Every structure is written in C-alpha cells, then in structure tokens.
C-alpha cells in the first residue's frame, strides 16, 4: 500500500497529520510527547524551507565526499597455514572440515 502525505507549499505538520504518522508507524504517544514531536517536526520543516531559498544553480552535484583516490596494493600471501593447523582449535571438526550447525532447511 502506497500512502501519499500532502503537505502544503508552506510545510507544517498538524495534530491530525501527526496522529496519522504515529498510526502508520505503530507509535503510541502521550499528549505531552505529541506536543514535543509536533514542535520538533515543524522546526525541521521550517529549516527545510530555509534550505529551499539557497541558490544552488552554480553548485556542481556532489558525487564524492572528497577528492582523494584509493591507493590499491598488490595482494600477496604473507603466511600460509596447513589444514591441520586451521582445524586444530575448532570446537567441532572431522578430519577435513569445520562442522557447523545446519542453518538452511
């Protein structure tokens, strides 16, 4: 089910909208919590309205957080252990493999 919440061009949240959102989120809110949440949500929406006023026409879209390039290294084996050494401290094993509980039916 897709739910669209309509908010006017000057965004704000009223008690009906808050109750609807709480119902969708399966939240049980006390009246004092509703007042605090209503205030917080309206403050957030007011801040978003302020952001809409910023002129971003000359700002390039942000693709990466910084200009650094990953430096990759060659992979190589440093230390190899035998199968016997790998199985030595296993809590359950047979002569070749680790034994683990079945997780797929």
């Amino acid at each position: 089910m897709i739910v669209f919440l309509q908010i006017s061009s000057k965004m704000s949240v009223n008690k009906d909208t808050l109750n609807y959102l709480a119902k969708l989120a399966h939240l049980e809110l006390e009246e004092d919590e509703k007042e605090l949440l209503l205030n917080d949500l309206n403050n957030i929406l007011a801040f978003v309205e302020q952001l809409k006023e910023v002129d971003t026409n000359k700002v390039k879209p942000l693709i990466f957080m910084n200009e650094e390039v990953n430096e990759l290294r060659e992979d190589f084996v440093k230390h190899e252990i035998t199968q016997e050494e790998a199985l030595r401290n296993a809590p359950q094993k047979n002569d070749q493999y680790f034994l683990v509980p079945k997780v797929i039916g």
Side-chain angles (χ1 to χ4, degrees):
M1 175 168 101
I2 298 175
V3 177
F4 293 100
L5 210 62
Q6 283 191 317
I7 298 177
S8 64
S9 60
K10 173 98 169 100
M11 291 191 278
S12 67
V13 177
N14 59 27
K15 279 202 173 202
D16 291 336
T17 305
L18 180 64
N19 288 331
Y20 181 65
L21 291 172
K23 181 181 175 185
L24 289 176
H26 300 283
L27 296 175
E28 294 179 15
L29 300 171
E30 301 293 329
E31 283 303 313
D32 58 331
E33 293 174 314
K34 286 181 183 179
E35 288 298 323
L36 290 171
L37 191 55
L38 193 60
N39 187 38
D40 287 346
L41 288 172
N42 282 317
N43 285 338
I44 291 168
L45 291 175
F47 181 70
V48 170
E49 287 293 324
Q50 285 181 356
L51 290 176
K52 286 182 177 179
E53 297 172 11
V54 177
D55 180 21
T56 59
N57 289 330
K58 296 180 183 177
V59 178
K60 292 181 182 178
L62 181 65
I63 297 173
F64 300 107
M65 293 304 292
N66 58 34
E67 301 295 323
E68 293 181 25
V69 177
N70 285 340
E71 292 184 27
L72 303 177
R73 62 170 173 75
E74 284 281 327
D75 285 336
F76 57 92
V77 177
K78 290 183 178 180
H79 178 67
E80 199 173 303
I81 62 173
T82 65
Q83 187 174 22
E84 182 182 297
E85 290 172 320
L87 292 170
R88 185 176 300 141
N89 293 321
Q92 292 183 321
K93 60 184 182 257
N94 66 15
D95 60 333
Q96 294 181 336
Y97 303 105
F98 297 102
L99 297 177
V100 296
K102 185 176 183 178
V103 292
I104 300 175

